[in-house]
Every structure is written in structure tokens, then in C-alpha cells.
Amino acid sequence: MDVSTHLNAELTQAQAAAILELIQREWPQPDWDREAAVQGLLHPGEADDDASRYRREARRYVIWDGDRALAQAETFARTIRWESGVEKTVLALAGVVTDPNERGRGYGAAVVRAAFGRVDAGEFPAALFQTNHPGFYEKLGCRKVANRFADHRDRGGSNTSPWWNDFVLVYPADADWPHGPIDLNGPAY
């Protein structure tokens, strides 16, 4: 099975729309504006803020059937801060989704393995992400972590975790990972 890798800015309008429609089917947003979403993906803006930079540098791993996206995952670099003050740039994994009609064919595992290839190649020391399906990722060589996470940029001063899913995982399972609090240096993904 062929997994294509794309930078957001290199996607065609049709490819961006197909990926976003796949994501919308899995995580529907009632006020979703297809055209605005496509433009936001292809043209993330020139601002030097982290969100714009992440979107400009994001890579998509996609399995295509013609012009239809069957599965996709997204990665980008995220610099986090450990309690000791050490900063590490890790691979952020987000938006892993498979078309509901195509599940059970290994497409999700294929796009995740392709994404983790950046860690395997030494580009990042580890990948960090959230999920409600840890078993799927543990089969791919990940492990759950129990750190307390925060986002120091959260102006609301919330002490709650920025993650919205139940589990946070790292790849690879044997990654050198601290036990103390971690600052995500931005919103969860």
C-alpha cells in the first residue's frame, strides 16, 4: 500500500479538500466551511506565531484511491519543555483517521508507521500525541506516559491538562522520557 507524503502548501485544492472531508466525516464540525478550511490548509499565513509555523511545516501521510483520501496522519515539530528546563523538539502526531468504510485494512497503521519514520530516521528523538485508542498505538511500538502536561501560554491560567483525549503516548516505547511535568509550549493537538 502506497503512502504519499505531502507538505500542506504542496497539496492541490482537490487533495486538501479530500483530506479535510475525511477529517470532517470523523470529527464533524457543525459550522464547517469547506472552502475556508481548504484555504486555511493551503495558505496558513505568514505570521511567525507557532500555529502558523506548525501549519506551514506540517506533513501529511495519505493513502489515496484516485482522488479520494482513505487514511491520513499529520506531523509537525513541537518544542516542549521538561520540568528540568530542558527543551526538546518532538514529532507531534495528529489527525490520524481512516475512512470508516475502509477500516480493518491496515491503512491507519500504514500512515502512522510512515509518520513515525521521521523518528526512526533520527529527525526527532520521539513522537508525542494523544488518543482514546492506546492499544492500536501500543501495537505499533508506543507506550502511555503519565506526565502532568500544561501549556504555559494558556492565559486562562488553567491547571487542567491541555489534552482532550484520555491517553498520551510516546513513540518509541523505549524513548528517553522524563517522569515530571511537561510544558507543551502551546495548545494540544
Side-chain angles (χ1 to χ4, degrees), residues 57-148:
E57 298 171 359
R59 292 186 194 174
R60 305 256 172 192
Y61 303 84
V62 186
I63 296 177
W64 297 100
D65 179 16
D67 60 355
R68 193 170 135 237
L70 302 180
Q72 84 99 44
E74 178 183 16
T75 64
F76 53 88
R78 173 58 78 85
T79 301
I80 61 174
R81 187 175 304 117
W82 295 355
E83 181 180 37
S84 65
V86 171
E87 288 190 344
K88 294 282 184 181
T89 301
V90 297
L91 180 76
L93 176 70
V96 177
V97 62
T98 300
D99 184 308
N101 297 322
E102 305 295 336
R103 291 194 179 136
R105 297 182 182 189
Y107 296 161
V111 295
V112 170
R113 281 190 190 101
F116 287 162
R118 297 179 75 185
V119 174
D120 296 338
E123 189 177 344
F124 297 94
L128 175 68
F129 59 98
Q130 64 177 322
T131 184
N132 278 329
H133 307 287
F136 169 79
Y137 293 98
E138 289 169 331
K139 289 177 188 175
L140 298 175
C142 302
R143 73 175 158 99
K144 292 180 255 185
V145 295
N147 303 82
R148 184 174 52 82

Side-chain angles (χ1 to χ4, degrees), residues 1-47:
M1 107 188 40
D2 187 33
V3 177
S4 301
T5 304
H6 308 271
L7 291 173
N8 282 345
E10 296 172 349
L11 292 166
T12 67
Q13 291 238 349
Q15 289 173 324
I19 290 167
L20 292 169
E21 288 165 0
L22 172 63
I23 293 168
Q24 174 68 9
R25 282 194 302 274
E26 183 68 18
W27 299 294
Q29 301 296 316
D31 57 349
W32 188 61
D33 178 337
R34 182 182 183 271
E35 290 309 312
V38 168
Q39 291 310 309
L41 178 63
L42 295 175
H43 308 288
E46 298 304 317

